[in-house]
Amino acid sequence: QVRLVESGGGLVQTGGSLRLSCAASGITFNIYALDWHRQAPGRERELVATITSDGTTDYADSVKGRFTISRDNAKNTVSLQMNSLKPEDTAVYYCKAYRSWGEYWGQGTRVTVSS
C-alpha cells in the first residue's frame, strides 16, 4: 500500500519559519521525482517546488530564495524548509511522488501565516 504522509504544518507569524516533511512508504523512493504543491481555499492547486530523482531542484518564483526542497533517500522523506513566511503562503501543502506512468499524493498539512 502506497502512503505519503505530510507533517510539520502549523500557525506562524509573518517572517517565521516552518519545516514540512513527507514520509513515503510502499514505493521505490529513490527513483521518483517529488513535488510540493499548495492550495488555498477557493484557489487552484499550485506547484511550489520540485526535486528530481538525481537531486535537481526548481521553485516557483513566489518562493525562490525563501523555500528549500530536499530529499533523504535513506529515510524515504522529502522536506520543505520555509523561511521568511508571508500571509500569502497560507495554504494546505501536499507532497507528490511521480513517474511518467503514475503519481501519488499525500493528505496535506495546513500552514497558516498570520499578518
Side-chain angles (χ1 to χ4, degrees):
Q1 183 86 332
V2 176
R3 293 190 71 202
L4 298 174
V5 181
E6 300 96 336
S7 62
L11 174 64
V12 298
Q13 293 183 323
T14 297
S17 297
L18 282 174
R19 185 175 180 87
L20 308 183
S21 294
C22 175
S25 60
I27 61 172
T28 305
F29 184 82
N30 63 297
I31 68 172
Y32 280 78
L34 301 158
D35 288 349
W36 284 97
H37 295 245
R38 66 187 181 187
Q39 187 168 26
R43 298 183 182 273
E44 294 185 9
R45 190 169 298 185
E46 63 175 341
L47 176 64
V48 174
T50 294
I51 186 165
T52 68
S53 59
D54 66 3
T56 301
T57 60
D58 199 12
Y59 300 90
D61 288 343
S62 59
V63 307
K64 284 182 178 177
R66 300 188 298 122
F67 291 10
T68 303
I69 188 171
S70 60
R71 66 191 296 161
D72 187 337
N73 290 337
K75 297 181 178 179
N76 287 3
T77 59
V78 57
S79 297
L80 186 69
Q81 178 66 47
M82 306 186 295
N83 299 325
S84 301
L85 284 162
K86 305 174 181 179
E88 304 90 86
D89 298 318
T90 295
V92 177
Y93 284 72
Y94 300 88
C95 64
K96 182 179 79 173
Y98 58 100
R99 302 274 289 166
S100 61
W101 36 262
E103 63 185 40
Y104 303 96
W105 291 85
Q107 85 291 346
T109 186
R110 296 183 185 274
V111 172
T112 303
V113 184
S114 61
S115 60

